[in-house]
Amino acid sequence: MSLQSATLARVKPSATMATDQKARELKAQGRNVISLGAGEPDFDTPQNIKDAAIKAIQDGKTKYTTVDGIPELKEAICAKFQRENGLTYKPSQINVSPGGKPVIFNAMMATLNPGDEVVIPTPYWVSYPDMVLLAGGTPVFAPTTAETGFKLRPEDLDKAITAKTRWVFLNSPSNPSGAAYTRAELKALADVLMRHPHVWILTDDMYEHLLFDDMEFFTIAQVEPGLYDRTLTMNGVSKAYAMTGWRIGYAGGPEPLIKLMAKVMSQSTSNPSSISQWAAVEALSGPQDFIKPNAKLFQERRDLVVSMLNQAKGIKCPTPEGTFYVYPSCEGLIGKTAPSGNVIQSDQDFANELLEAEGVAVVFGEAFGLSPFFRISYATAKETLEDACSRIQRFCAAVK
């Protein structure tokens, strides 16, 4: 009898985490490896945020808290939504979880029944489909293409929705593609959703502050107030505030949904770390002046990586509007022979051969639901990125 449950057997381990772990293992063996797999800013958490955490410890704020967030953090989140997104929420409409991923997981666990469908545009963040599967739902994939800028077209969204659709996921700017929707593009999707009142919307805004070329951020409940009562607007402190390890995600949404999510938490994680919550209060309420300079540095890195990858034989790299990822095509190398003598038959083969030959770890596109592509995180130093891209150029040149 298998130890693994039937539920767990339906899902795969996170490919991004697996790539990062493989790179760590090779480094431990003495290999010169550059890992471009993990989605984590290389900046340190700002000092004022660290100081707030230290003060929380010194003040004895180390006990259990309310399951889904302390009142002070919920108030700070309400203020953030109002200030930056024009969305009005009460603290009773706010969920705080130990990371953005648990926000989504808790929402799915709270609402999905067997047979319920969740529409997910491709390429998608690797965890979306598997969280839906763990909660008993069925992922339904709505295609995008490089030609459409990896953005979901209204007609493709409409085609994907059925009577069984429970949720639609939107992620802007997107992990892995970096694609970001304009206000007009979001309004066109909202118009479709307004015709399907049984469908709920989860909008993953985690990369909100990492937009380039003066592009303005919008979220769908802001663009179409008619969707407010069935939208869960998710965000977190991980990316903009360089707080990945602090594990604080949050969301605003209808109060009945927020209560259901808290019910899930009450029997699973309980509250997020009390210390991290106080640090997040400072992150959202304290100085914000470092965010735009950090985004500018990411934009400079984007320009470097896009330029160098487009000089690699067989690689085509679109220019993303946001995040710290690029999602290049390796179609020009499929069917050709790597330096090892192996034929590259897929983007996973490309990633494996690149790691073996040049010690550069990237995540293959199949993990994100769209091939033949691969994802690179450029959240690392410029010198490291130049070295990595030079290695990719060298590898591609050696493919015959």
Side-chain angles (χ1 to χ4, degrees):
M1 185 176 179
S2 173
L3 177 63
Q4 180 174 252
S5 70
T7 298
L8 193 59
R10 291 197 294 267
V11 308
K12 305 180 294 293
S14 168
T16 52
M17 291 186 177
T19 297
D20 195 46
Q21 180 59 32
K22 177 67 173 176
R24 291 175 193 269
E25 291 172 358
L26 290 174
K27 286 180 181 178
Q29 295 169 16
R31 287 282 305 275
N32 180 1
V33 173
I34 299 175
S35 180
L36 303 179
E40 183 170 50
D42 57 319
F43 309 130
D44 195 15
T45 304
Q47 189 61 46
N48 63 303
I49 298 173
K50 292 192 283 188
D51 290 342
I54 293 167
K55 186 175 187 302
I57 295 170
Q58 292 171 336
D59 291 347
K61 294 174 179 175
T62 56
K63 308 296 184 185
Y64 292 132
T65 74
T66 306
V67 165
D68 63 347
I70 58 175
E72 292 85 351
L73 181 50
K74 289 192 172 191
E75 291 284 1
I77 292 166
C78 288
K80 177 262 182 264
F81 276 131
Q82 184 67 60
R83 177 180 72 244
E84 296 183 349
N85 309 115
L87 293 172
T88 302
Y89 292 111
K90 299 177 293 185
S92 58
Q93 293 177 277
I94 300 298
N95 172 274
V96 183
S97 290
K101 188 181 291 186
V103 172
I104 303 169
F105 181 81
N106 293 337
M108 296 304 102
M109 288 296 295
T111 60
L112 290 181
N113 293 306
D116 287 345
E117 296 176 350
V118 177
V119 174
I120 302 172
T122 59
Y124 46 71
W125 180 45
V126 293
S127 294
Y128 289 155
D130 293 291
M131 287 192 282
V132 170
L133 289 166
L134 279 170
T138 302
V140 173
F141 301 114
T144 75
T145 65
E147 289 69 33
T148 65
F150 299 115
K151 298 180 189 182
L152 182 62
R153 299 183 303 176
E155 57 267 34
D156 292 324
L157 171 60
D158 198 39
K159 188 176 178 180
I161 293 173
T162 72
K164 296 180 180 180
T165 304
R166 183 72 157 170
W167 288 90
V168 168
F169 283 5
L170 294 174
N171 177 208
S172 176
S174 162
N175 174 4
S177 72
Y181 292 92
T182 64
R183 185 185 190 107
E185 289 166 340
L186 277 180
K187 183 63 169 68
L189 296 177
D191 289 344
V192 173
L193 292 163
M194 288 295 290
R195 300 198 297 268
H196 299 281
H198 67 291
V199 176
W200 285 66
I201 303 95
L202 187 146
T203 177
D204 179 349
D205 298 347
M206 189 64 73
Y207 295 89
E208 170 184 3
H209 291 294
L210 296 179
L211 275 173
F212 310 137
D213 305 315
D214 299 319
M215 188 172 184
E216 190 174 356
F217 177 82
F218 294 98
T219 192
I220 199 161
Q222 172 189 21
V223 170
E224 177 48 78
L227 294 176
Y228 175 89
D229 288 334
R230 49 190 172 104
T231 297
L232 185 67
T233 304
M234 191 278 282
N235 212 315
V237 297
S238 296
K239 313 301 181 181
Y241 300 95
M243 294 176 67
T244 51
W246 297 78
R247 307 310 300 139
I248 294 291
Y250 60 83
E255 193 169 324
L257 173 61
I258 297 300
K259 286 182 177 179
L260 293 175
M261 292 167 64
K263 185 177 180 181
V264 175
M265 293 177 69
S266 75
Q267 296 292 4
S268 55
T269 58
S270 294
N271 63 273
S273 160
S274 60
I275 298 153
S276 294
Q277 289 188 67
W278 283 105
V281 171
E282 175 62 22
L284 294 175
S285 305
Q288 308 290 303
D289 54 353
F290 59 90
I291 292 178
K292 285 188 176 180
N294 284 358
K296 188 173 185 298
L297 285 173
F298 279 129
Q299 181 174 330
E300 292 170 0
R301 294 174 182 180
R302 176 204 66 176
D303 293 343
L304 169 70
V305 170
V306 169
S307 174
M308 292 190 71
L309 288 178
N310 279 322
Q311 296 172 51
K313 187 183 74 174
I315 302 293
K316 290 183 180 179
C317 185
T319 302
E321 292 100 344
T323 72
F324 38 67
Y325 307 112
V326 290
Y327 199 61
S329 167
C330 57
E331 186 174 10
L333 301 173
I334 301 299
K336 297 188 176 180
T337 303
S340 65
N342 297 324
V343 175
I344 299 173
Q345 297 180 335
S346 65
D347 48 46
Q348 185 168 9
D349 287 345
F350 168 82
N352 290 340
E353 293 292 336
L354 176 64
L355 180 58
E356 185 61 36
E358 292 288 350
V360 178
V362 301
V363 187
F364 58 94
E366 186 184 352
F368 304 101
L370 189 63
S371 295
F373 295 86
F374 61 101
R375 192 194 77 173
I376 279 179
S377 167
Y378 51 86
T380 191
K382 180 181 177 183
E383 297 76 16
T384 304
L385 293 172
E386 288 176 336
D387 186 4
C389 290
S390 294
R391 296 187 195 190
I392 293 172
Q393 290 175 352
R394 187 167 62 217
F395 172 79
C396 294
V399 172
K400 303 299 181 186

